[in-house]
Amino acid sequence: MNPGQCFKRSIIHGAPPSDKPPPDMPPSPHKSHFLQNSDNERVKVTVRSRPLTKAEESREDVIPVVFVNPDKSTVTVRRKGSFVDYTEFKFDAVLGASATQADVYAVAAQPIVLDVLEGYNGTIMAYGQTGAGKTYTLADVVINDAIQSRVEGIIPRSAANIFEYASNDKNHEYHISMSYIQIYMETIQDLLNPETTNLQIREAEDGGIFIAGVHENAHSSRSHAIVIITVEKKTFSLLDSTNSSEGRRISKGILVGKLFLVDLAGSERLKKSGSEGLRAVEAMSVNMSLTALGKCISARADPSITHVPFRDSKLTRLLQESLGGNTKTSLIINIAPCCDHIQETLSSLKFGIRAMKVGSRAILNFEEEFRVLNRHLQENTQSKDKQAGNDTKSHNQGVNPESHIDAQTNSGSKCSNILDHKGKVSRRAERNILKKSTKEPDFGQDSKDVSVNCGEEEIRELQRAYKKHYVDELQNEKQKVEVVAGSQLMANSAAKVLKSLSVLDEFFTKKCET
Ligand SMILES: Nc1ncnc2c1ncn2[C@@H]1O[C@H](COP(=O)(O)OP(=O)(O)OP(=O)(O)O)[C@@H](O)[C@H]1O
């Protein structure tokens, strides 16, 4: 079991599959003007300027120096000491003091959430100086303690959106899990399991980043808080269109989308805040990791720079994929409108401008069918052994009664990113298939123990789907490589993949014959 998965809390284990379109199915994920799937995808940046607080309003010396124009998506900042000199910044979207939480969600979060439901990774991150409104934008905020009126931020809205969508979609089975961590003074803490501290960041086989061993510590405002929601969406195909009973469906595979919701700690100028002791140390730690984040953004924004210093901080290491990797990223720059914070505001706006230059390459995360088939075979063996009153442990090495759930949960980090956004088999996927097919030779080994309960027809169907998906795809890929690129090296590697796949293919063919 992948250690990064044991913290996960299973929230739902989806609706039963059905063929008929659900009556109240939410609109299919749209691609808004704001976040489109295209070759030149990049980090999208929204600026949100908060209203003046009551304390700021009551002061006579506070004058607004930041002006937003949501129609033109611009922010204008008055230069220090001047009434005529302004600097203008243009972003993907700009929201002023009158923007509601729902407005912010619609512009900067919903498109990402819908992509996660389709099997892409997504990150929504709030950046800005301390007190600029990051937590207000992301979290669930009680604004009036007396009447407990709440203004939900992006995190609860995203979770509600995901659950609503999953429970209305009767065509797929969903498994949704969540973890909540904070990075405090360069240690990672699991906010759902306060006993575990200083968790380790690990890299998965497919290049994804996860935290090993993570499950309410008081969340400190001097920490970066990250909520991770993993959505696994099982897709089905019908074996027999005249019979829509559950037994006639087979799983085609699992789409896995991971959503990172990041409430960054605010930067703080120590000279200005006058913080001392622990507070000063905390602030320095936060500033250091934000500096590291800035360096990574600058490096990613400049194509001539090849080394990106992700390892300089836990924050950047964890957000590696969100900064130009296999993730669609929406950055929200929170700013305060008054003159006291002009320097911090300018610095945040410049950070946002740099971030808009960071390209991303999100691909569809799809778990292979043969993995699903392998799991089915193991489950069937297990249930047959149970029926026979045998000791299941002795037969199914490593398969425990929770194997179905564990295997599903594991798929989040182990899944292969098979197809890129154009539906082509990616080179990384080829490498992963090669690795996996050489690492998992026990199809043959277990063949005596594996009794196929699911029926010949289902196996044939799986085999066909499997062949279509991998062998045909790769055959095409090989031909394309030979014809278009003429690269013998790539053709060889495609041929190797084909060869190892044909071994598996042979196994399935034998299974059908016996
Ligand atoms: N859009 C908004 N509308 C109304 N009040 C807001 C808005 N944004 C922020 N505030 C208020 O401003 C104050 C500071 O906001 P918040 O705590 O979210 O800042 P922060 O950036 O998360 O700060 P820190 O980095 O210190 O955690 C809070 O009292 C919050 O309620």
Side-chain angles (χ1 to χ4, degrees):
M1 180 168 170
N2 179 339
Q5 306 300 329
C6 60
F7 64 92
K8 284 187 168 181
R9 298 237 168 123
S10 201
I11 301 174
I12 65 164
H13 188 204
S18 145
D19 307 307
K20 292 185 191 120
D24 49 353
M25 177 93 170
S28 72
H30 66 276
K31 304 283 173 244
S32 75
H33 70 283
F34 175 60
L35 285 159
Q36 304 223 333
N37 270 330
S38 69
D39 280 346
N40 51 2
E41 226 175 283
R42 58 166 173 82
V43 172
K44 299 292 173 357
V45 181
T46 301
V47 172
R48 184 184 201 186
S49 176
R50 70 158 165 77
L52 290 172
T53 60
K54 289 218 164 62
E56 287 166 347
E57 264 174 0
S58 63
R59 281 172 45 197
E60 281 175 7
D61 60 332
V62 168
I63 44 165
V65 289
V66 178
F67 307 93
V68 299
N69 186 335
D71 294 336
K72 290 187 178 167
S73 300
T74 56
V75 181
T76 312
V77 181
R78 189 155 69 200
R79 293 223 180 109
K80 203 175 171 190
S82 168
F83 284 91
V84 288
D85 275 354
Y86 294 88
T87 308
E88 190 178 82
F89 300 88
K90 190 160 172 56
F91 295 94
D92 294 298
V94 169
L95 299 164
S98 61
T100 64
Q101 297 285 74
D103 295 335
V104 180
Y105 182 74
V107 170
Q110 197 173 32
I112 295 268
V113 171
L114 293 174
D115 280 330
V116 168
L117 282 159
E118 289 293 287
Y120 290 94
N121 295 334
T123 298
I124 301 163
M125 181 158 46
Y127 178 95
Q129 72 171 107
T130 187
K134 301 178 295 294
T135 304
Y136 183 92
T137 296
L138 277 174
D140 186 3
V141 181
V142 177
I143 51 162
N144 185 331
D145 286 340
I147 56 167
Q148 291 285 298
S149 66
R150 297 163 88 89
V151 182
E152 273 106 7
I154 286 172
I155 293 172
R157 279 172 200 268
S158 302
N161 207 175
I162 287 170
F163 278 95
E164 193 191 351
Y165 190 89
S167 53
N168 286 333
D169 179 3
K170 305 283 186 273
N171 292 327
H172 301 95
E173 193 177 302
Y174 288 82
H175 186 273
I176 301 168
S177 52
M178 183 184 125
S179 51
Y180 187 16
I181 57 148
Q182 73 173 3
I183 304 174
Y184 174 73
M185 302 236 275
E186 283 301 291
T187 59
I188 299 181
Q189 297 164 347
D190 181 350
L191 293 174
L192 299 180
N193 181 11
E195 278 154 33
T196 51
T197 53
N198 204 11
L199 299 163
Q200 301 300 308
I201 299 173
R202 302 241 186 276
E203 193 159 336
E205 233 176 59
D206 61 4
I209 298 293
F210 68 92
I211 305 149
V214 26
H215 271 290
E216 192 150 299
N217 270 349
H219 161 215
S220 164
S221 78
R222 303 301 184 89
S223 71
H224 308 294
I226 305 174
V227 171
I228 306 162
I229 302 179
T230 306
V231 181
E232 294 174 16
K233 179 174 173 179
K234 207 167 178 179
T235 58
F236 292 91
S237 70
L238 261 187
L239 279 180
D240 175 0
S241 56
T242 58
N243 183 344
S244 61
S245 70
E246 254 184 56
R248 308 303 298 167
R249 289 181 192 83
I250 53 165
S251 167
K252 283 164 67 180
I254 298 172
L255 289 163
V256 186
K258 261 183 199 280
L259 177 63
F260 279 61
L261 298 151
V262 189
D263 182 2
L264 294 170
S267 56
E268 178 181 321
R269 284 194 294 144
L270 286 173
K271 265 193 197 158
K272 186 174 159 186
S273 68
S275 293
E276 287 176 351
L278 178 62
R279 281 183 69 87
V281 178
E282 288 174 336
M284 282 191 287
S285 173
V286 167
N287 289 348
M288 188 219 66
S289 58
L290 291 174
T291 304
L293 179 65
K295 280 185 187 164
C296 289
I297 293 272
S298 299
R300 273 283 194 221
D302 182 348
S304 68
I305 299 178
T306 49
H307 174 68
V308 185
F310 288 122
R311 288 179 183 266
D312 282 6
S313 78
K314 292 258 163 66
L315 177 71
T316 48
R317 181 90 176 101
L318 194 59
L319 294 180
Q320 191 169 326
E321 286 292 302
S322 308
L323 306 172
N326 175 21
T327 307
K328 298 184 180 218
T329 301
S330 169
L331 174 69
I332 301 165
I333 301 287
N334 287 95
I335 55 172
C338 64
C339 54
D340 288 1
H341 310 301
I342 185 70
Q343 213 168 316
E344 290 89 343
T345 299
L346 276 169
S347 151
S348 297
L349 293 172
K350 286 176 187 168
F351 179 89
I353 292 289
R354 280 198 302 278
M356 285 205 299
K357 293 185 186 144
V358 176
S360 63
R361 44 184 173 86
I363 52 177
L364 204 62
N365 300 313
F366 188 80
E367 193 186 3
E368 314 82 352
E369 260 177 281
F370 74 85
R371 271 188 161 274
V372 179
L373 172 60
N374 187 23
R375 198 157 62 228
H376 283 193
L377 292 174
Q378 287 182 333
E379 284 162 10
N380 277 322
T381 311
Q382 196 180 7
S383 70
K384 204 178 175 207
D385 282 348
K386 266 190 191 159
Q387 276 168 15
N390 290 340
D391 177 4
T392 50
K393 278 183 190 163
S394 65
H395 269 288
N396 301 304
Q397 305 116 354
V399 180
N400 65 47
E402 304 282 332
S403 65
H404 176 67
I405 293 169
D406 282 349
Q408 277 207 335
T409 318
N410 277 343
S411 64
S413 57
K414 281 192 174 174
C415 73
S416 243
N417 301 313
I418 295 294
L419 305 176
D420 61 17
H421 59 281
K422 289 178 185 163
K424 303 278 159 47
V425 177
S426 67
R427 289 182 66 191
R428 183 193 281 180
E430 283 184 7
R431 278 202 306 276
N432 282 344
I433 291 170
L434 193 57
K435 261 196 232 159
K436 281 170 187 161
S437 54
T438 48
K439 260 192 189 169
E440 297 181 80
D442 344 5
F443 285 106
Q445 258 176 30
D446 286 347
S447 59
K448 276 188 199 135
D449 288 342
V450 179
S451 313
V452 182
N453 283 352
C454 48
E456 199 176 290
E457 196 186 344
E458 280 149 307
I459 287 288
R460 277 196 197 287
E461 175 65 23
L462 279 166
Q463 188 198 9
R464 267 197 299 275
Y466 157 82
K467 274 182 73 176
K468 181 169 171 15
H469 212 79
Y470 297 104
V471 181
D472 295 353
E473 282 275 1
L474 284 162
Q475 191 71 54
N476 290 341
E477 200 66 10
K478 181 173 174 262
Q479 278 163 8
K480 255 185 275 156
V481 168
E482 280 170 343
V483 175
V484 180
S487 155
Q488 197 51 46
L489 197 68
M490 280 176 73
N492 281 348
S493 91
K496 260 191 210 165
V497 176
L498 275 172
K499 197 175 167 199
S500 47
L501 284 171
S502 71
V503 175
L504 291 175
D505 193 40
E506 244 174 61
F507 168 74
F508 291 127
T509 312
K510 271 190 205 142
K511 275 271 159 246
C512 293
E513 284 163 0
T514 53

CSV table of all heavy atoms in Angstrom, one decimal, residues 48-53 96-97 99 101 128-137 141-143 219-223 263-267 334, ligand 1:
chain,number,residue,atom,x,y,z
A,48,ARG,N,-8.2,39.6,-6.3
A,48,ARG,CA,-9.3,40.0,-5.5
A,48,ARG,C,-8.9,41.1,-4.5
A,48,ARG,O,-8.0,40.8,-3.7
A,48,ARG,CB,-9.9,38.8,-4.8
A,48,ARG,CG,-11.2,39.2,-4.0
A,48,ARG,CD,-11.7,38.1,-3.2
A,48,ARG,NE,-13.1,38.3,-2.9
A,48,ARG,CZ,-13.9,37.6,-2.1
A,48,ARG,NH1,-13.3,36.6,-1.5
A,48,ARG,NH2,-15.1,37.9,-1.9
A,49,SER,N,-9.5,42.2,-4.7
A,49,SER,CA,-9.2,43.3,-3.7
A,49,SER,C,-10.3,43.3,-2.7
A,49,SER,O,-11.5,43.4,-3.0
A,49,SER,CB,-9.2,44.6,-4.5
A,49,SER,OG,-9.0,45.7,-3.6
A,50,ARG,N,-9.9,43.2,-1.4
A,50,ARG,CA,-10.9,43.2,-0.3
A,50,ARG,C,-11.4,44.6,0.0
A,50,ARG,O,-10.7,45.6,-0.3
A,50,ARG,CB,-10.4,42.5,0.9
A,50,ARG,CG,-9.4,43.3,1.7
A,50,ARG,CD,-9.3,42.8,3.1
A,50,ARG,NE,-8.1,43.3,3.8
A,50,ARG,CZ,-7.9,44.5,4.3
A,50,ARG,NH1,-8.8,45.4,4.1
A,50,ARG,NH2,-6.8,44.8,4.9
A,51,PRO,N,-12.6,44.8,0.7
A,51,PRO,CA,-13.0,46.1,1.1
A,51,PRO,C,-12.2,46.6,2.2
A,51,PRO,O,-11.5,45.8,2.8
A,51,PRO,CB,-14.5,45.9,1.5
A,51,PRO,CG,-14.7,44.4,1.7
A,51,PRO,CD,-13.6,43.7,1.0
A,52,LEU,N,-12.2,47.9,2.5
A,52,LEU,CA,-11.5,48.4,3.7
A,52,LEU,C,-12.2,47.8,4.9
A,52,LEU,O,-13.4,47.6,5.0
A,52,LEU,CB,-11.7,49.9,3.8
A,52,LEU,CG,-10.9,50.8,2.7
A,52,LEU,CD1,-11.3,52.2,2.8
A,52,LEU,CD2,-9.4,50.6,2.9
A,53,THR,N,-11.4,47.4,5.9
A,53,THR,CA,-11.9,46.9,7.2
A,53,THR,C,-12.5,48.1,7.9
A,53,THR,O,-12.2,49.3,7.6
A,53,THR,CB,-10.8,46.2,8.0
A,53,THR,OG1,-9.8,47.2,8.3
A,53,THR,CG2,-10.2,45.1,7.3
A,96,GLY,N,-13.5,43.2,-7.5
A,96,GLY,CA,-13.4,44.3,-6.5
A,96,GLY,C,-14.1,44.0,-5.2
A,96,GLY,O,-14.5,42.8,-5.0
A,97,ALA,N,-14.2,45.0,-4.3
A,97,ALA,CA,-14.8,44.8,-3.0
A,97,ALA,C,-16.2,44.3,-3.0
A,97,ALA,O,-16.6,43.6,-2.0
A,97,ALA,CB,-14.7,46.1,-2.2
A,99,ALA,N,-17.4,42.0,-5.0
A,99,ALA,CA,-17.6,40.7,-5.5
A,99,ALA,C,-17.9,39.7,-4.3
A,99,ALA,O,-17.4,39.8,-3.2
A,99,ALA,CB,-16.2,40.2,-6.1
A,101,GLN,N,-18.6,35.8,-2.5
A,101,GLN,CA,-17.9,34.5,-2.5
A,101,GLN,C,-18.3,33.7,-3.7
A,101,GLN,O,-17.4,33.0,-4.3
A,101,GLN,CB,-18.2,33.8,-1.2
A,101,GLN,CG,-17.7,34.5,0.1
A,101,GLN,CD,-16.2,34.4,0.3
A,101,GLN,OE1,-15.5,35.1,-0.4
A,101,GLN,NE2,-15.8,33.6,1.2
A,128,GLY,N,-1.0,36.3,-1.0
A,128,GLY,CA,-1.1,37.7,-0.7
A,128,GLY,C,-0.5,38.0,0.7
A,128,GLY,O,-0.3,37.1,1.5
A,129,GLN,N,-0.3,39.3,1.0
A,129,GLN,CA,0.2,39.6,2.3
A,129,GLN,C,-0.7,39.2,3.5
A,129,GLN,O,-1.9,39.0,3.2
A,129,GLN,CB,0.5,41.1,2.4
A,129,GLN,CG,-0.8,41.9,2.5
A,129,GLN,CD,-0.6,43.3,2.8
A,129,GLN,OE1,-0.8,44.1,1.9
A,129,GLN,NE2,-0.2,43.7,4.0
A,130,THR,N,-0.2,39.2,4.7
A,130,THR,CA,-1.1,38.9,5.8
A,130,THR,C,-2.2,39.9,5.9
A,130,THR,O,-2.0,41.1,5.8
A,130,THR,CB,-0.2,38.7,7.1
A,130,THR,OG1,-1.0,38.2,8.1
A,130,THR,CG2,0.4,40.1,7.5
A,131,GLY,N,-3.4,39.4,6.1
A,131,GLY,CA,-4.6,40.2,6.3
A,131,GLY,C,-5.3,40.6,5.0
A,131,GLY,O,-6.2,41.5,5.0
A,132,ALA,N,-4.8,40.1,3.8
A,132,ALA,CA,-5.3,40.5,2.5
A,132,ALA,C,-6.6,39.8,2.2
A,132,ALA,O,-7.3,40.2,1.2
A,132,ALA,CB,-4.3,40.3,1.5
A,133,GLY,N,-7.0,38.7,2.9
A,133,GLY,CA,-8.2,38.0,2.6
A,133,GLY,C,-8.1,36.7,2.0
A,133,GLY,O,-9.1,36.1,1.4
A,134,LYS,N,-7.0,36.0,2.2
A,134,LYS,CA,-6.8,34.7,1.6
A,134,LYS,C,-7.7,33.6,2.3
A,134,LYS,O,-8.4,32.9,1.6
A,134,LYS,CB,-5.3,34.2,1.8
A,134,LYS,CG,-4.3,35.1,1.1
A,134,LYS,CD,-2.9,34.7,1.3
A,134,LYS,CE,-2.4,34.7,2.8
A,134,LYS,NZ,-2.4,36.0,3.4
A,135,THR,N,-7.7,33.6,3.6
A,135,THR,CA,-8.5,32.7,4.3
A,135,THR,C,-10.0,32.9,4.1
A,135,THR,O,-10.8,32.0,3.9
A,135,THR,CB,-8.2,32.7,5.8
A,135,THR,OG1,-6.8,32.5,6.0
A,135,THR,CG2,-8.9,31.6,6.6
A,136,TYR,N,-10.3,34.2,4.0
A,136,TYR,CA,-11.7,34.6,3.8
A,136,TYR,C,-12.2,34.0,2.4
A,136,TYR,O,-13.2,33.5,2.2
A,136,TYR,CB,-11.8,36.1,3.7
A,136,TYR,CG,-13.2,36.6,3.5
A,136,TYR,CD1,-14.1,36.9,4.6
A,136,TYR,CD2,-13.7,36.9,2.2
A,136,TYR,CE1,-15.4,37.4,4.4
A,136,TYR,CE2,-15.0,37.3,2.0
A,136,TYR,CZ,-15.8,37.6,3.1
A,136,TYR,OH,-17.1,38.1,2.9
A,137,THR,N,-11.3,34.1,1.4
A,137,THR,CA,-11.6,33.6,0.1
A,137,THR,C,-11.7,32.1,0.0
A,137,THR,O,-12.6,31.6,-0.7
A,137,THR,CB,-10.5,34.1,-0.9
A,137,THR,OG1,-10.5,35.6,-0.9
A,137,THR,CG2,-10.7,33.6,-2.3
A,141,VAL,N,-16.1,30.9,6.5
A,141,VAL,CA,-15.9,32.0,7.4
A,141,VAL,C,-17.1,32.4,8.2
A,141,VAL,O,-18.2,32.5,7.6
A,141,VAL,CB,-15.3,33.2,6.7
A,141,VAL,CG1,-15.1,34.4,7.6
A,141,VAL,CG2,-14.1,32.9,5.9
A,142,VAL,N,-17.0,32.5,9.5
A,142,VAL,CA,-18.2,33.0,10.3
A,142,VAL,C,-18.0,34.5,10.4
A,142,VAL,O,-17.0,35.0,10.9
A,142,VAL,CB,-18.2,32.4,11.7
A,142,VAL,CG1,-19.3,33.0,12.5
A,142,VAL,CG2,-18.3,30.9,11.6
A,143,ILE,N,-18.9,35.3,9.7
A,143,ILE,CA,-18.6,36.7,9.7
A,143,ILE,C,-19.4,37.4,10.8
A,143,ILE,O,-19.1,38.5,11.2
A,143,ILE,CB,-19.0,37.4,8.4
A,143,ILE,CG1,-20.3,37.0,7.9
A,143,ILE,CG2,-17.9,37.1,7.4
A,143,ILE,CD1,-20.8,38.0,6.9
A,219,HIS,N,-5.2,25.1,13.3
A,219,HIS,CA,-4.5,25.6,12.1
A,219,HIS,C,-3.9,27.0,12.4
A,219,HIS,O,-4.6,27.9,12.7
A,219,HIS,CB,-5.5,25.6,10.9
A,219,HIS,CG,-5.1,26.5,9.8
A,219,HIS,ND1,-6.0,27.2,9.0
A,219,HIS,CD2,-3.8,26.8,9.3
A,219,HIS,CE1,-5.3,27.8,8.0
A,219,HIS,NE2,-4.0,27.6,8.2
A,220,SER,N,-2.6,27.1,12.2
A,220,SER,CA,-2.0,28.4,12.5
A,220,SER,C,-2.0,29.3,11.3
A,220,SER,O,-1.8,28.8,10.2
A,220,SER,CB,-0.5,28.1,12.9
A,220,SER,OG,0.2,29.3,12.8
A,221,SER,N,-2.2,30.6,11.5
A,221,SER,CA,-2.2,31.5,10.4
A,221,SER,C,-0.8,31.7,9.9
A,221,SER,O,-0.6,32.4,8.9
A,221,SER,CB,-2.9,32.8,10.7
A,221,SER,OG,-2.1,33.6,11.5
A,222,ARG,N,0.2,31.2,10.7
A,222,ARG,CA,1.6,31.3,10.2
A,222,ARG,C,2.0,30.0,9.5
A,222,ARG,O,3.1,29.6,9.6
A,222,ARG,CB,2.5,31.5,11.4
A,222,ARG,CG,2.2,32.8,12.2
A,222,ARG,CD,2.3,34.0,11.3
A,222,ARG,NE,2.0,35.2,12.0
A,222,ARG,CZ,3.0,35.9,12.6
A,222,ARG,NH1,4.2,35.5,12.6
A,222,ARG,NH2,2.7,37.1,13.2
A,223,SER,N,1.0,29.3,9.0
A,223,SER,CA,1.3,28.1,8.2
A,223,SER,C,0.6,28.1,6.9
A,223,SER,O,-0.3,28.9,6.7
A,223,SER,CB,0.9,26.9,9.0
A,223,SER,OG,-0.5,26.8,9.0
A,263,ASP,N,-4.1,27.5,1.0
A,263,ASP,CA,-4.2,28.8,1.7
A,263,ASP,C,-2.8,29.1,2.1
A,263,ASP,O,-2.3,28.6,3.2
A,263,ASP,CB,-5.2,28.7,2.8
A,263,ASP,CG,-5.4,30.0,3.6
A,263,ASP,OD1,-4.8,31.0,3.1
A,263,ASP,OD2,-6.2,30.0,4.5
A,264,LEU,N,-2.1,29.9,1.3
A,264,LEU,CA,-0.7,30.2,1.7
A,264,LEU,C,-0.7,31.2,2.9
A,264,LEU,O,-1.5,32.0,3.1
A,264,LEU,CB,0.0,30.9,0.5
A,264,LEU,CG,0.2,30.0,-0.7
A,264,LEU,CD1,0.7,30.9,-1.9
A,264,LEU,CD2,1.3,28.9,-0.4
A,265,ALA,N,0.4,31.0,3.7
A,265,ALA,CA,0.5,32.0,4.8
A,265,ALA,C,0.9,33.3,4.2
A,265,ALA,O,1.5,33.4,3.2
A,265,ALA,CB,1.6,31.5,5.8
A,266,GLY,N,0.6,34.4,4.9
A,266,GLY,CA,0.8,35.7,4.4
A,266,GLY,C,2.3,36.2,4.6
A,266,GLY,O,2.8,35.8,5.7
A,267,SER,N,2.8,36.9,3.7
A,267,SER,CA,4.1,37.4,3.9
A,267,SER,C,4.1,38.6,4.9
A,267,SER,O,3.0,39.2,5.1
A,267,SER,CB,4.7,37.9,2.6
A,267,SER,OG,3.9,38.9,2.0
A,334,ASN,N,-4.7,38.0,-3.5
A,334,ASN,CA,-5.5,38.8,-2.6
A,334,ASN,C,-4.8,40.1,-2.2
A,334,ASN,O,-3.6,40.0,-1.9
A,334,ASN,CB,-5.8,38.0,-1.3
A,334,ASN,CG,-6.8,36.9,-1.5
A,334,ASN,OD1,-6.5,35.8,-1.7
A,334,ASN,ND2,-8.1,37.3,-1.6
B,1,LIG,N1,-13.8,40.1,0.5
B,1,LIG,C1,-13.9,40.4,1.8
B,1,LIG,N2,-15.1,41.0,2.3
B,1,LIG,C2,-15.2,41.3,3.6
B,1,LIG,N3,-14.2,41.1,4.5
B,1,LIG,C3,-13.1,40.5,4.1
B,1,LIG,C4,-12.8,40.2,2.8
B,1,LIG,N4,-11.6,39.7,2.7
B,1,LIG,C5,-11.1,39.7,3.9
B,1,LIG,N5,-12.0,40.2,4.8
B,1,LIG,C6,-11.7,40.4,6.2
B,1,LIG,O1,-10.3,40.9,6.3
B,1,LIG,C7,-9.7,40.3,7.5
B,1,LIG,C8,-8.4,39.6,7.0
B,1,LIG,O2,-8.8,38.5,6.2
B,1,LIG,P1,-8.1,37.1,6.2
B,1,LIG,O3,-7.9,36.6,7.6
B,1,LIG,O4,-8.8,36.2,5.3
B,1,LIG,O5,-6.7,37.4,5.7
B,1,LIG,P2,-5.4,36.5,5.3
B,1,LIG,O6,-4.9,36.9,4.1
B,1,LIG,O7,-5.9,35.1,5.4
B,1,LIG,O8,-4.4,36.7,6.5
B,1,LIG,P3,-3.3,35.8,7.1
B,1,LIG,O9,-2.3,35.6,6.1
B,1,LIG,O10,-2.7,36.6,8.3
B,1,LIG,O11,-3.9,34.5,7.6
B,1,LIG,C9,-10.7,39.4,8.1
B,1,LIG,O12,-11.4,40.1,9.2
B,1,LIG,C10,-11.7,39.1,7.0
B,1,LIG,O13,-13.0,38.8,7.5
